Amino acid sequence: MATTRSTKSSEAPVVKRPRGFAAMDPATQRRIASEGGKASHESGRGHRFTSEEARAAGRKGGQASRGRSGQVGANS
């Protein structure tokens, strides 16, 4: 059976409050995120880009975006 909500003007609007991670203060969020990053690197799954790797990735991304923009009207 479907339920309906009353739309009387006397009812106060429902205020959504943040839950979980979003409800924490910023210092606690940073501490928990930092622990996750440290754990990732300790387990061997973390990766830190060198400046050369970052440069190559940026170059590759730029080439891909230019290549797609030229193909948009090619099939029509």
Side-chain angles (χ1 to χ4, degrees):
M1 187 168 160
T3 60
T4 58
R5 290 186 184 204
S6 172
T7 56
K8 294 179 185 176
S9 61
S10 62
E11 291 183 20
V14 177
V15 178
K16 284 191 164 189
R17 295 189 334 205
R19 301 179 349 179
F21 205 70
M24 297 178 192
D25 63 290
T28 304
Q29 288 181 0
R30 278 193 300 276
R31 182 183 56 78
I32 293 173
S34 175
E35 289 174 6
K38 289 175 186 174
S40 175
H41 282 280
E42 287 174 6
S43 69
R45 284 179 260 149
H47 179 73
R48 186 176 302 263
F49 280 97
T50 64
S51 60
E52 183 55 40
E53 285 176 314
R55 195 175 303 118
R59 192 169 30 252
K60 186 175 181 180
Q63 290 170 349
S65 66
R66 280 194 295 271
R68 276 187 276 131
S69 66
Q71 295 176 358
V72 172
N75 293 335
S76 29

